[in-house]
Amino acid sequence: MSGSAQNHWKHAWPCAQVFSDFLCSNQELIEDKLVLEIGAGATGVCGLTTAKLGAANVWMTDHPKLEAALETLQRNIEANGVAEKCIVTGLDWESRASVSAVCDQIGDRHLDVIIASDVFFDPSTFCPLIDTFAQLLIKFEHATIWFAYQLRDDNWTCAPYLSKYPFLRATLERRIETEKETIDIFKMTRESLGLYAGIEGGATGSKLVIIDADTNQRYTSSTEGTNFFLTDHTIVCKRIADWILEVFEKEKLDIKNLKALGLGLSGAEDEEFNKKFVDYFRQNHGNVTENFYLTSDAVMTLLANFPGEENGIVLIAGTGSSCRLKIRDGSVKGAGGWGHQIGDGGSAFWIARTAIQMLFDAEDGFEENFNTDVIKQLLFKHYNITDKTRMLDYLYSKFEKHKIADFTVSLAERTDDAAVAEAFRRAGDVLGKHVRTVAKYLTNEDRKVLSIVQIGGVFQSWDALQQGFVASLSGSGIEKIVMYEPSDSPAVGAAVLAAKERNEIFLQQNVEKKMLREINL
């Protein structure tokens, strides 16, 4: 039964008398304070008591459709001579908009106390009431809720609904036995669950997400790459620490509230080296946080996009490449991801290097199947050179992985050329072999339909990759592949996993993946 259809408001219940006596015995809780009463009814006994006890202002609320109750309440306020400090307004527990409207009325004033007497009467209202309490304490984080709760024979309890909001702390302050009733007085406060940060660190660029565990508000930032196999790990540690401190200062956040940091870093495949990285961070940048969850960017993306008991594959083809499979039992298997020297097959770096080698081989006479004139034109324009031998500087003495990988962007504009198309076809073939390899860890039945989340700019040239990708999976026992966009940023996944692993807090994340294509093999 909704609050507007109930008749509880017509009566003064035993809780109201007991609760009012409690307030009178603790006047210091009320005097000079701003008070909000939930479920005042027509009598408003408890709200009127706070007004008489010296509250600065009292907002007295009940369901906006209970016009008779609100009108009677206003007359009671006037009869008690406290009209100058009491405000009557409607509040619907089942409407977040209604609660927000009351919050707007209170405005930026410092709400101190929220009171409620015997509002936990009908179990159908327990959930919206707790939602209302949470919404109010998110808005007025320093307020305290005091509520009276009559024990009844039916064992109704609001406890299960409190688990939805880990930051709500309800404690029993007093149990009062009367001749007929047992009435508990509870105190509820908001305890901050703190902030959790997650970083997705690639070879070229990195993303940071900070999540407020109480409100789910997100703060985001981007910076350069954080692959500690391309740069000394001590430099990466300092870069990450400085970055986090800079964002916290910019967003006016207290670094002391950062409870844990999740890191999904490119190259973080070795557990021993990961421990060395974390130990160094703790010793030299412990002012950021001491709690870490570190794994590779591929594994972090996998866990973020397949958080449940399901099989799932993440296939990454950006500057570098890798493939990871999560089996429904939680174990992770992988292929690739070993960097540009012995891996990165099908990545932007790999495609660029393949096209450049095709050009050199053709002009040396090793490659006779493809005309590489278009590759040569694109290469000269991209690097502003007039002689292919100038590329040796970029490939050796001045080598930077991302500067080679960037050439793939230029190549992608001319996949109509046979030689360029061949470089992308080969990339598709290698990426398909990554999938085929990890799929071997699945049962024959599970292998029939694969769910793959694709990550990386190379997939923007899917039409050029597709032929090689599909051909490489022929005869593998795979019947269908469904490919998706990521459900949420891997940086978000990193923060979520850090919160879960370190403090058993479950942050909100988007788990709905957008399907891109189905491939029947």
Side-chain angles (χ1 to χ4, degrees), residues 228-229 233 237 263 265 267-284 290 292-295 502:
F228 50 66
F229 282 119
H233 75 279
C237 279
L263 299 167
L265 303 185
E269 302 283 351
D270 186 298
E271 287 301 321
E272 183 177 346
F273 193 87
N274 287 356
K275 183 179 183 302
K276 177 181 177 182
F277 181 94
V278 169
D279 288 345
Y280 181 87
F281 200 108
R282 281 200 183 102
Q283 293 168 9
N284 294 274
E290 294 186 352
F292 296 89
Y293 183 91
L294 172 61
T295 187
R502 298 305 170 188

Side-chain angles (χ1 to χ4, degrees), residues 92-113:
D92 181 0
W93 305 335
E94 297 182 344
S95 168
R96 294 186 66 85
S98 178
V99 179
S100 295
V102 172
C103 291
D104 290 341
Q105 288 183 41
I106 298 171
D108 294 330
R109 283 167 286 193
H110 188 92
L111 182 66
D112 301 290
V113 179

Side-chain angles (χ1 to χ4, degrees), residues 10-80:
K10 295 180 179 180
H11 308 282
W13 294 86
C15 259
Q17 180 63 56
V18 172
F19 191 28
S20 293
D21 289 343
F22 171 82
L23 294 173
C24 289
S25 299
N26 295 274
Q27 186 173 356
E28 71 280 0
L29 300 175
I30 301 300
E31 193 169 16
D32 297 323
K33 301 295 196 299
L34 269 62
V35 179
L36 169 67
E37 182 176 16
I38 306 291
T43 60
V45 171
C46 298
L48 291 173
T49 299
T50 63
K52 293 282 190 177
L53 289 173
N57 283 111
V58 185
W59 282 267
M60 302 173 71
T61 70
D62 215 311
H63 199 285
K65 290 186 178 180
L66 298 177
E67 296 179 4
L70 297 176
E71 289 172 1
T72 304
L73 178 59
Q74 183 63 50
R75 289 196 296 271
N76 282 339
I77 289 170
E78 292 168 359
N80 279 274

Side-chain angles (χ1 to χ4, degrees), residues 193-225:
L193 296 179
L195 303 169
Y196 293 84
I199 289 178
E200 172 197 4
T204 305
S206 301
K207 296 178 182 178
L208 166 68
V209 172
I210 301 166
I211 302 178
D212 186 321
D214 299 328
T215 66
N216 201 45
Q217 182 175 356
R218 298 182 183 184
Y219 307 86
T220 60
S221 179
S222 300
T223 192
E224 56 192 317

